[in-house]
Amino acid sequence: ELESGIEGLVHVSEMSWTKKNMQPGKIVSTSEEVEVKVLEIDSEKRRISLGMKQLDVDPWADVESRFPIGSNQTGLVTNITDYGAFVELEAGVEGLVHVSEMSWTKKNVHPGKIVSTSQELEVMVLEIDTDKRRVSLGLKQTKGNPWENFAQNNPVGSSVEGEIKNITEFGLFCEIEKHYISGLLHVSDLSHDRYFFDKEANMLRGRRTGRTFRIGQKINVQLSNVIPNERKIVLVEK
């Protein structure tokens, strides 16, 4: 009530910049005196729209200077969905880590398998849309590109151990131990025989020697080429 006989409505969306999806009774109470701003007057419908949050500092006012694009920030996971996780950078400023920005190596994994609600995360600010009040965040960017890290620590010609994770007619996809990234060992780079894909048994089999390669098998391989920006590792049998 503004004065005797004149009332206005403070819609819940105009109550607070920071308290979202909260019942009005959790923010104000009956008979409480509050300071408000007149937002709109509709004389015909005899309605007055009021706002409370307008009298406080809008946390989005200088969000780009406080959270520069490319900077690492610490936030709290507030909600997890099928398409990502929402992270609160500060009261009133929340961003989304899309599932595609969560991990370099974990694909087609539900975000809840990577992060949990109330977990504190270090994230990178990727994009800010102040008009839509949206912040795009990245989690994997704070961990470093594993292909770049691998290339720096394992020069071409290095020997590594790989575990066969997938078999196709053109070769073997091997996961490099402890790095969680895979490389291709082409069938033409296997030694001692000519190999064909036994689809029924899901293995590569040597035509002359009968030598086989199965999923889960560990083999010693050599790095033939590493292309980090294409996330590609080429292997040859040692």
Side-chain angles (χ1 to χ4, degrees):
E1 185 179 56
L2 300 177
E3 62 179 53
S4 180
I6 300 178
E7 291 185 343
L9 172 67
V10 182
H11 190 271
V12 64
S13 63
E14 303 297 344
M15 286 188 165
S16 173
W17 294 112
T18 60
K19 299 174 182 177
K20 304 294 183 181
N21 303 315
M22 187 175 288
Q23 290 291 328
K26 298 289 185 180
I27 302 175
V28 296
S29 58
T30 304
S31 299
E32 179 183 355
E33 187 175 295
V34 295
E35 188 175 2
V36 294
K37 182 176 183 179
V38 178
L39 303 180
E40 185 180 358
I41 298 177
D42 189 329
S43 301
E44 292 183 4
K45 296 181 179 180
R46 302 175 68 85
R47 292 178 182 174
I48 301 176
S49 297
L50 307 172
M52 290 171 55
K53 69 182 184 182
Q54 288 77 8
L55 300 174
D56 294 327
V57 176
D58 182 355
W60 284 82
D62 58 350
V63 70
E64 291 178 303
S65 62
R66 289 183 291 113
F67 303 105
I69 292 175
S71 66
N72 285 3
Q73 305 289 336
T74 300
L76 205 65
V77 179
T78 57
N79 189 29
I80 298 174
T81 69
D82 291 338
Y83 54 85
F86 288 91
V87 176
E88 185 180 63
L89 300 179
E90 67 173 30
V93 179
E94 197 171 62
L96 172 67
V97 181
H98 191 269
V99 63
S100 63
E101 303 296 349
M102 288 194 157
S103 173
W104 294 106
T105 57
K106 297 177 182 178
K107 304 299 181 182
N108 303 315
V109 176
H110 191 277
K113 298 291 186 180
I114 302 175
V115 299
S116 57
T117 305
S118 299
Q119 179 181 353
E120 189 175 77
L121 288 181
E122 182 181 12
V123 292
M124 178 180 287
V125 180
L126 304 180
E127 186 178 350
I128 297 176
D129 187 330
T130 52
D131 292 334
K132 295 182 179 179
R133 294 176 178 258
R134 292 178 181 173
V135 180
S136 297
L137 304 171
L139 176 60
K140 68 183 184 182
Q141 289 81 357
T142 65
K143 309 299 181 181
N145 187 322
W147 282 271
E148 292 180 354
N149 295 339
F150 182 80
Q152 292 174 1
N153 298 319
N154 299 274
V156 170
S158 298
S159 297
V160 294
E161 184 178 61
E163 182 179 344
I164 300 173
K165 291 295 185 179
N166 191 26
I167 299 175
T168 69
E169 61 184 6
F170 55 84
L172 311 170
F173 286 93
C174 301
E175 184 179 276
I176 310 303
E177 187 180 26
K178 296 180 182 178
H179 293 280
Y180 308 105
I181 55 178
S182 294
L184 173 64
L185 175 55
H186 196 274
V187 65
S188 62
D189 291 317
L190 287 168
S191 58
H192 307 303
D193 205 342
R194 295 181 61 190
Y195 296 85
F196 70 96
F197 180 46
D198 185 337
K199 187 175 182 180
E200 183 176 346
N202 194 25
M203 68 172 66
L204 279 184
R205 190 188 299 274
R207 295 183 183 278
R208 179 173 55 82
T209 62
R211 185 185 182 203
T212 60
F213 293 93
R214 300 173 180 269
I215 289 178
Q217 181 178 340
K218 293 185 177 182
I219 57 175
N220 292 319
V221 292
Q222 195 171 48
L223 300 177
S224 175
N225 198 5
V226 180
I227 311 174
N229 61 338
E230 295 181 14
R231 302 184 187 182
K232 182 178 181 181
I233 298 175
V234 181
L235 307 170
V236 294
E237 187 175 16
K238 185 178 177 182

